[in-house]
Each structure stands twice: as C-alpha cells, then as structure tokens.
C-alpha cells in the first residue's frame, strides 16, 4: 500500500488510462466475438448470414455492461451476472494498477513550475480510462449491436465503472486519502470489512441453500417442465450452464424472495415468500421455482437473514471482540458496504429476457437491497447487543473474582 508518491515514471496520467482501456478491450472484444460465433454455429447458423456475428458480439458486449438490446425479435437487458462480475474485476484491477503506478510517478509540472496534485493526476487517469473504455462500448453497441441507451442502462454502466474504480483505489491505497475515512481507526475499518465479507459469503451460501430447498420441494413440477424438451438430458446440461452465467442475479433473487420484496415476473406479478403467482414462464428450473405454491412454514424465511446477521457477528471469539471494539460505528460502515454491493447487484439482476411477458423480470432495484440489508442489519444489531451483554458479564465476573481475592 502506498502513502506518498515516489519517482518512477513520467508518462501522462491520461495516457496511462488509455493504455488500461486498450488492454481491457483486447480481452473483452475478442471474447465477445468468440461467444457470438459459437452462438451462430450452434444455434441459427443455417438461417442467418455471417453479418449477424458482429451484431451479436457488440450486443453481448452491451448487455454485459447493463445496456438494452433487441435482436431477432427479442428484447434483452438482463445482464449475465457472472460475465459482468468478470468484467468488473478486470476494471477494478486496471484501476488498481493505475493508482499504484501514479503513487510512484513523478509529479507533473506546469510551465510556471507548479506541481499537479496527486489526486488530480489520479482523477485524470481514471477519467481517461473510463472514457476510452465506455466511449467505444456505447458507440459500437448502439451502431452495430443495435442497443438502446435507456436511463437504467446508463445508471448501470455508470455504477459498474464507479464501483470498480472505487474498489481498485481502496485496494491500492486504502482509505487514508478518502474524506471522512482518513481519521478512521484502521482496526475499526478492518472489523467492518471483516463483517461485510462474512455476510457476503454467508448470504451466497444461504441463497444456494434456499434454491436447493426449493428444488427439493418443487421437484415434481420441475421434472414435468423438463419433460417438455425433446432431450431432457441435453436441455438440462445446457440450462445448467445458462443458469450459472446468471448466478449472481439468481442468488440475489433468492435473497430478495425470502426477504419479502420478491422477484417480478413481468405481467405475472411479484413472487415472494409471502405471495405466490401463476403465469407462463420458460421451462427453466430457476424460473419455474418462482411460480406455484410453497408450504406455509416458508413464510418464516426472513428469519434466516436475521440469523445470518447474528452469526456474522458472534461466531468466533476473536472476531466478536473486534466487532465489539468497533461498536456501532463499525457496524454502520459494514451495513453501508453491504448496501452498496447489494444495490449494485440488484441493478444488474433486473431486465427483459424476451417473450412470455418477461419484459420486467427480477428483484426491484429500489426495494430489494433495502429489504435484504434491513433484515441482515437487524441481525447484526442483535449480534452486537449480544456481544456487549457477554462483555458486560465478563467484566462483572472479573470484578467479582478480584473482590474475592482481595
């Protein structure tokens, strides 16, 4: 981690940003063409001309970043979350390299001898990175990929860049340069990050368990839906791969489902632990789980999020002591981190997926993150209260022992 700039390079910050954008393009664009070509060969190659490949490639590039596309009669704006996560990690890594490089860079001097502040150099580099990457993306997606720039698409692209750059910055320099965080006790920050990390891994595991339980409860209905395919085994393999591509959205959808905000299935309504809907959905297992009845006891599912919050605080004596030392400030920072992550995932978990009225599919970006973080926040608060009570009891026991010895 760098805390002060050192001499190393004299390249202009904007040029460094352009290089990072070009490096990322060399990975993303060829990958999009490879996937589009595979789709053309495996899918509709016999009926469509070669010219559809670049259109599909740039349409895929657009959807991954949250834009909307329309091709061969299908509207599509639900990002394949696993691919989006991969691009996000590449953006964060690029931003981290930029910040680290500029931390070791020579200061830029103007003609009158004044030095450019370090934060200005960093801002120029990241701005160059963002514009050099997002500019061609938007232009080629709109012109070749026939994408549309909706307000939601713009917000998602902006959030993708901002969050990736923020994480890259923190990874390279920590929070010492950030206003309101510069005077923060490092132990408090580490405790908050540890709590947020625990909740994230716990939430992902909980979502997997919820989906697994739903598969068991609805197995007969799923088997009937899969029987509609001419080759259920081949369809099952293909659908498994497809569902994995959308895994982040599916996992967050499961959390939203048990939190009560549910998952919208277009004209069919909102499916949640408190409400069931009936309506046509494609014969895909995770979609079939959203329609039909569940046992009454499943309405207690929000308690799982509360228990997750409690466990994320109290499990592990050393960890619980660190959370106790960080107190409510550390807990508030942890919840803030969780909300930013949850809201980002929620934005990319909703969109159109083609026919059958699924023009607005997924959890609500406005309420799902609030509900999930709200239930978990209740659990975190209870966990902190338990640690405080435990600490008070420990102090009382020590005082009693000291009094007896004296």
């Amino acid at each position: 981690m760098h805390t002060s700039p050192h001499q190393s390079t004299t390249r202009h910050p904007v040029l460094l940003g352009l290089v990072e954008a070009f490096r990322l393009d060399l990975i993303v664009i060829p990958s999009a063409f490879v996937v589009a070509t595979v789709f053309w060969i495996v899918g509709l190659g016999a009926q469509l001309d070669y010219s559809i490949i670049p259109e599909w490639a740039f349409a895929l590039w657009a959807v991954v970043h949250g834009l909307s596309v329309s091709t061969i009669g299908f509207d599509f704006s639900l990002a394949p979350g696993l691919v989006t996560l991969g691009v996000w990690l590449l953006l964060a890594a690029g931003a981290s390299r930029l910040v680290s490089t500029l931390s070791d860079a020579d200061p830029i001097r103007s003609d009158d001898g004044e030095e450019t502040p370090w934060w200005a150099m960093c801002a120029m580099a990241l701005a160059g990175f963002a514009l050099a990457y997002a500019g061609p993306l938007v232009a080629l997606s709109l012109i070749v990929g026939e994408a549309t720039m909706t307000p939601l698409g713009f917000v998602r692209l902006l959030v993708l860049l901002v969050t990736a750059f923020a994480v890259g910055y923190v990874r390279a320099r920590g929070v010492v340069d950030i206003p309101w965080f510069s005077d923060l006790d490092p132990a408090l920050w580490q405790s908050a990050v540890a709590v947020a990390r625990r909740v994230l891994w716990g939430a992902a595991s909980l979502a997997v368990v919820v989906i697994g339980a739903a598969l068991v409860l609805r197995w007969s209905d799923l088997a009937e839906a899969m029987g509609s395919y001419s080759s259920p085994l081949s369809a099952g393999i293909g659908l498994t791969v497809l569902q994995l591509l959308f895994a982040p959205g599916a996992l967050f959808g499961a959390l939203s489902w048990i939190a009560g905000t549910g998952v919208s299935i277009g004209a069919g309504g909102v499916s949640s632990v408190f409400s069931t809907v009936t309506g046509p959905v494609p014969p895909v297992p995770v979609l079939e789980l959203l329609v039909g009845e569940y046992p009454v006891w499943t309405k207690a599912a929000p308690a799982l999020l509360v228990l997750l919050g409690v466990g994320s605080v109290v499990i592990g004596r050393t960890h619980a002591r660190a959370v106790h030392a960080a107190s409510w400030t550390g807990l508030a920072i942890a919840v803030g981190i969780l909300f930013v992550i949850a809201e980002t995932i929620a934005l990319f978990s909703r969109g159109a997926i083609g026919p059958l009225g699924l023009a607005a599919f997924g959890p609500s970006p406005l309420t799902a993150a609030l509900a999930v973080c709200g239930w978990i926040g209740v659990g975190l608060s209870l966990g902190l209260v338990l640690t405080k009570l435990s600490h008070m009891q420990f102090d009382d026991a020590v005082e009693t022992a000291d009094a007896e010895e004296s």
Side-chain angles (χ1 to χ4, degrees):
M1 184 181 299
H2 300 280
T3 57
S4 60
H6 304 285
Q7 295 185 0
S8 174
T9 181
T10 57
R11 286 193 292 179
H12 195 278
V14 174
L15 178 60
L16 293 174
L18 295 177
V19 171
E20 285 297 337
F22 180 70
R23 181 182 300 176
L24 184 54
D25 286 337
L26 289 179
I27 299 174
V28 176
I29 297 178
S31 300
F33 269 88
V34 169
V35 174
T37 303
V38 171
F39 284 171
W40 183 85
I41 295 173
V42 175
L44 303 172
Q47 291 82 25
L48 299 175
D49 191 73
Y50 290 106
S51 59
I52 198 67
I53 294 179
E55 179 182 335
W56 282 1
F58 289 112
L60 175 62
W61 195 24
V63 171
V64 165
H65 292 78
L67 305 183
S68 301
V69 301
S70 180
T71 181
I72 60 174
F74 290 89
D75 293 327
F76 208 93
S77 60
L78 182 64
L82 204 59
V83 183
T84 302
L85 177 60
V87 173
W88 184 90
L89 290 173
L90 291 174
L91 286 166
S96 182
R97 282 193 298 268
L98 276 178
V99 174
S100 296
T101 300
L102 289 172
S103 294
D104 296 330
D106 296 329
I108 299 177
R109 298 181 182 274
S110 61
D111 295 336
D112 56 4
E114 293 184 359
E115 295 184 356
T116 303
W118 180 88
W119 63 266
M121 295 172 57
C122 187
M124 285 189 290
L126 293 177
F129 186 12
L131 293 175
Y133 182 75
L137 161 66
V138 172
L140 291 172
S141 297
L142 295 179
I143 298 172
V144 182
E146 297 187 2
T148 56
M149 179 61 81
T150 62
L152 178 60
F154 174 79
V155 170
R156 292 201 286 196
L157 178 58
L158 182 63
V159 168
L160 184 73
L161 294 171
V162 170
T163 55
F165 287 178
V167 169
Y169 182 94
V170 172
R171 183 186 301 172
R173 297 204 37 112
V175 296
V176 294
D177 299 320
I178 301 176
W180 304 296
F181 287 93
S182 57
D183 297 329
L184 197 65
D185 184 359
L188 191 150
W189 170 256
Q190 292 172 3
S191 174
V193 172
V195 171
R197 186 182 295 116
R198 278 192 171 206
V199 171
L200 287 175
W201 284 111
S205 302
L206 175 60
V208 171
V209 171
V210 168
I211 293 176
L215 289 173
V216 173
L217 293 174
R218 300 286 306 282
W219 184 257
S220 59
D221 297 331
L222 297 179
E224 182 179 350
M226 294 301 295
S228 63
Y229 291 97
S230 57
S231 176
L233 178 60
S234 300
I237 296 174
L239 290 174
T240 299
V241 174
L242 182 64
Q243 290 171 118
L244 287 176
L245 291 177
F246 293 88
L251 295 178
F252 183 79
L255 296 177
S256 179
W257 190 83
I258 63 175
T261 46
V263 178
S264 173
I265 355 180
V270 177
S271 173
S272 76
V273 69
F274 300 122
S275 62
T276 58
V277 296
T278 58
V281 294
V284 177
V286 292
L287 299 183
E288 292 285 344
L289 295 177
L290 296 173
V291 297
E293 297 287 340
Y294 283 93
V296 177
W297 53 265
T298 57
K299 296 185 184 300
L304 296 175
L305 293 172
V306 177
L307 292 175
L308 170 63
V310 174
S312 298
V313 172
V314 302
I315 295 178
R317 182 175 300 177
T318 303
H319 172 77
R321 288 176 179 173
V323 176
H324 175 268
S327 193
W328 297 106
T329 302
L331 204 66
I333 295 174
V335 172
I337 295 172
L338 291 171
F339 178 74
V340 171
I341 296 172
E343 185 61 39
T344 301
I345 298 176
L347 285 171
F348 283 87
S349 300
R350 186 179 179 90
I353 54 175
L356 298 179
L358 296 180
F361 171 80
S364 169
L366 297 176
T367 60
L370 286 172
V372 171
C373 291
W375 286 113
I376 294 176
V378 171
L380 292 174
S381 300
L382 290 176
L384 181 56
V385 170
L386 290 176
T387 62
K388 287 183 176 294
L389 292 175
S390 176
H391 189 75
M392 291 173 60
Q393 292 175 357
F394 175 77
D395 289 342
D396 292 341
V398 171
E399 291 178 0
T400 301
D402 292 340
E404 292 176 351
E405 290 178 0
S406 60

